[in-house]
Amino acid sequence: MKLYTTYQVAEEHQGLTVEAYLKQVLSYSGRKIQKLTRHKGILLNKKPVFLQKQINTGDVLRVIVLEDSSYGVEPEPGQIEILYEDRYLIVLNKPSGLLVHPTGQTTHRTLSNYLAYYYQQQGVISTIRPLHRLDRETSGCVVFAKDSRTQTLLEKFLQEGTLKRTYRAVVNGIVNPPSGTINLPIGPHPTKPNRRAVNPKGDQAITHYKTIQNFSEASLLELTLDTGRTHQIRVHLTYLGHPIVGDRMYGKSSALIAGQALHAYSLHFPHPVEHQEIALQAPFPANFLQLIDNYSHA
């Protein structure tokens, strides 16, 4: 059974060609449109249509969802925690210590390998498409698209700020002022290739923070991002003088937690196809809760 995504042409798009509508309104690439054309996967009012056909208000455009032929990673049995799932996307709560996707010399035992196995057990072939990455030691929400169209829409949401991510972090020291915005460019570290640093020649990076709770020697912060630079939260907080507890790369390890105390706490976004609002929270991992409890009783 073929699966289609259906769109009704709004008055503002009257007169566009099918190709222009696909590119300008639906953000399809030229390459993807060519692939859809080869598969005869574009219908206008239930009939095959040429790309240069003009569309009218109220027309119904149906675009086939092309089936994937591989997972892109090797399926491996492993535990995953599902926060949300439908036929277009899935959101997982990643544990600390696990990579999102194979990279470098690590090709196995990642969240993507485990998700591929989950799909395999259901008899589904869907290429693993993480919308964003979390560092190995960061826990929390990760979104995966189940098809390329959904991925394109979600990436657009991410770029426009429609997909909102909120983090929680325990940092060393008492942050003063208790809330604020860090607007400092981030680029490569001058001497350490695996690290990033505040760099005047780097890319713009904006992090908003507010204090949720103060302890005697640490603070629990909530953070939101306007940009998505590599290691952005870790670099900005270290520059502020308050590195994340347990961050061995930008601060130092802690006997109170294995890994770093950074958690992708929540997501809020409109569904890319069905348009209802989706709001999700990822429960704190046990070691994060234990760290807070230790500081609370210090």
Side-chain angles (χ1 to χ4, degrees):
M1 179 179 176
K2 294 181 178 180
L3 178 65
Y4 287 86
T5 305
T6 302
Y7 307 93
Q8 187 164 28
V9 177
E11 184 177 355
E12 62 191 286
H13 301 130
Q14 165 89 22
L16 287 179
T17 64
V18 170
E19 183 175 26
Y21 186 85
L22 290 169
K23 286 183 175 179
Q24 297 173 23
V25 181
L26 303 182
S27 302
Y28 278 102
S29 66
R31 183 178 178 183
K32 182 66 178 294
I33 292 171
Q34 288 178 356
K35 191 173 182 180
L36 287 168
T37 302
R38 288 197 305 271
H39 285 79
K40 299 180 180 180
I42 305 170
L43 304 177
L44 185 67
N45 300 324
K46 298 184 179 181
K47 297 179 180 179
V49 64
F50 294 108
L51 291 177
Q52 298 311 310
K53 170 76 173 177
Q54 286 189 323
I55 56 178
N56 298 306
T57 304
D59 280 350
V60 176
L61 190 71
R62 302 179 76 205
V63 182
I64 195 170
V65 178
L66 296 173
E67 294 183 359
D68 292 329
S69 59
S70 73
Y71 299 107
V73 300
E74 184 178 337
E76 290 182 281
Q79 186 174 357
I80 60 172
E81 181 182 350
I82 300 171
L83 300 175
Y84 176 87
E85 182 181 14
D86 61 29
R87 67 177 182 172
Y88 301 103
L89 61 99
I90 187 169
V91 183
L92 303 182
N93 183 13
K94 184 186 88 68
S96 176
L98 196 67
L99 285 174
V100 170
H101 198 274
T103 182
Q105 296 181 344
T106 303
T107 58
H108 298 278
R109 297 180 182 176
T110 73
L111 191 62
S112 292
N113 296 112
Y114 300 160
L115 178 57
Y117 182 80
Y118 169 75
Y119 287 158
Q120 187 182 65
Q121 294 303 107
Q122 297 186 46
V124 172
I125 297 178
S126 178
T127 300
I128 305 301
R129 301 177 177 88
L131 180 65
H132 51 96
R133 302 288 199 272
L134 294 179
D135 297 335
R136 183 193 292 268
E137 301 302 334
T138 302
S139 55
C141 300
V142 183
V143 183
F144 293 82
K146 291 188 175 182
D147 60 79
S148 59
R149 174 66 190 136
T150 301
Q151 181 182 28
T152 298
L153 290 169
L154 287 171
E155 286 173 345
K156 186 177 181 182
F157 288 172
L158 198 58
Q159 292 166 2
E160 295 173 345
T162 308
L163 192 153
K164 302 182 185 302
R165 294 179 288 169
T166 302
Y167 294 78
R168 295 280 175 92
V170 180
V171 302
N172 288 288
I174 307 301
V175 181
N176 188 26
S179 63
T181 297
I182 308 167
N183 186 350
L184 294 168
I186 291 176
H189 193 283
T191 60
K192 298 173 181 177
N194 292 331
R195 299 191 187 188
R196 299 293 186 269
V198 170
N199 185 331
K201 296 181 180 180
D203 297 318
Q204 183 184 40
I206 301 173
T207 304
H208 307 283
Y209 73 89
K210 68 177 180 180
T211 300
I212 302 297
Q213 186 176 358
N214 282 329
F215 311 106
S216 59
E217 300 177 356
S219 305
L220 173 62
L221 303 183
E222 182 173 278
L223 305 115
T224 56
L225 308 178
D226 287 355
T227 52
R229 308 302 173 203
T230 301
H231 297 175
Q232 178 173 321
I233 292 175
R234 299 163 68 188
V235 171
H236 272 171
L237 291 176
T238 299
Y239 188 87
L240 206 64
H242 300 283
I244 295 171
V245 173
D247 186 348
R248 291 171 291 178
M249 182 174 285
Y250 294 101
K252 59 182 181 180
S253 61
S254 170
L256 298 177
I257 189 171
Q260 62 195 24
L262 179 60
H263 181 67
Y265 177 65
S266 67
L267 287 171
H268 188 273
F269 59 98
H271 193 283
V273 179
E274 298 176 345
H275 310 300
Q276 78 271 22
E277 291 295 316
I278 295 177
L280 304 170
Q281 288 185 351
F284 287 117
N287 63 345
F288 200 102
L289 291 172
Q290 185 62 52
L291 176 69
I292 292 174
D293 186 65
N294 286 337
Y295 277 124
S296 298
H297 293 91

